[in-house]
Amino acid sequence: MAYRRTPAVQARLDAQREAVLQSAVGLLAERGYGGCTMAAVADRAGIATGSLYQHFANKAELSVELFRRVVTREIAAVNAAVARRDAPRQRIAAVVETFAARALRAPRLAYALLVEPADAVVDGERLVFRRAFRDVIATEIAAAVAAGELPEQDPVLTAAALVGAVGEALAGPLAAEPAPAPAHEPAPEHSDNTTVVPALVSFTLRALGGRDDSDA
């Protein structure tokens, strides 16, 4: 007779899996993919490394689940920002503004999500991530074109180009950000990224063929 987990056992395993993922998110934000090893995640979660393999077969499998969790959170933040804007052109700006600002506030995490060398399966998830943002922007471009706010164009093609351009523009600032200092040391001076977000928003609106507010 096959063993069937009791509700109590399943609840314990679910709680342990959640603790593993939360620990992995923390490590990813601090050390990137390179430091997010199975042993390090298990240690942060307070479990034996062998117990971790009950939930994830290897680091690639853990990384994919971790990536999906963080990306889902980022997409939700972007969608919430878009929902607060009325005009389609403002909604497009909100996507870029929110994505870039959140990336620069958590540079180590954003670097890991966007460009840090990782397993091939993670690169596949990155493609899904980019397509999700592309689709959000494409929807708003189509609405702006229909409303006469933007010239005729292929919304999906334009959105894909914008996602690539914004990601490439952020790669440099994210890579330049130093790792967080230990608690007993003073925080390092970060590069000044205060102009990056407005510049990316301005670039986006100009690339779309719309009129940037600074053109007034």
Side-chain angles (χ1 to χ4, degrees):
M1 182 177 179
Y3 170 74
R4 297 181 61 183
R5 293 172 179 167
T6 66
V9 169
Q10 188 61 53
R12 179 180 62 78
L13 289 173
D14 291 344
Q16 188 177 78
R17 189 175 191 275
E18 179 62 24
V20 165
L21 286 171
Q22 289 183 4
S23 298
V25 170
L27 282 171
L28 186 66
E30 294 171 13
R31 308 178 189 175
Y33 278 115
C36 203
T37 65
M38 297 291 275
V41 171
D43 182 66
R44 175 69 63 92
I47 63 175
T49 303
S51 297
L52 181 55
Y53 285 96
Q54 294 180 344
H55 304 284
F56 302 99
N58 48 49
K59 181 181 177 180
E61 187 175 299
L62 171 61
S63 297
V64 166
E65 186 66 25
L66 170 60
F67 191 91
R68 290 176 180 174
R69 167 165 293 212
V70 177
V71 165
T72 297
R73 183 180 69 190
E74 295 305 306
I75 292 175
V78 166
N79 283 329
V82 168
R84 292 193 291 269
R85 308 289 179 90
D86 295 324
R89 198 167 66 93
Q90 293 176 343
R91 292 159 71 91
I92 297 168
V95 175
V96 174
E97 181 180 42
T98 303
F99 175 75
R102 289 176 64 86
L104 292 170
R105 283 199 298 268
R108 192 67 190 85
L109 177 61
Y111 181 77
L113 292 176
L114 293 173
V115 295
E116 182 179 355
D119 297 309
V121 291
V122 173
D123 285 335
E125 291 300 315
R126 283 177 173 152
L127 180 59
V128 174
F129 181 34
R130 290 195 296 270
R131 285 173 176 169
F133 276 102
R134 178 204 65 188
D135 291 345
V136 172
I137 296 175
T139 296
E140 301 306 329
I141 292 175
V145 170
E149 293 188 17
L150 293 176
E152 286 291 334
Q153 57 194 287
D154 183 332
V156 174
L157 179 61
T158 302
L162 286 173
V163 169
V166 170
E168 180 65 23
L170 287 173
L174 294 178
E177 285 295 320
H184 62 280
E185 296 182 7
E189 293 185 6
H190 285 209
S191 57
D192 182 8
N193 288 319
T194 57
T195 63
V196 173
V197 176
L200 284 175
V201 172
S202 179
F203 161 78
T204 297
L205 295 177
R206 291 173 187 273
L208 290 168
R211 184 168 178 270
D212 184 9
D213 291 339
S214 64
D215 293 334

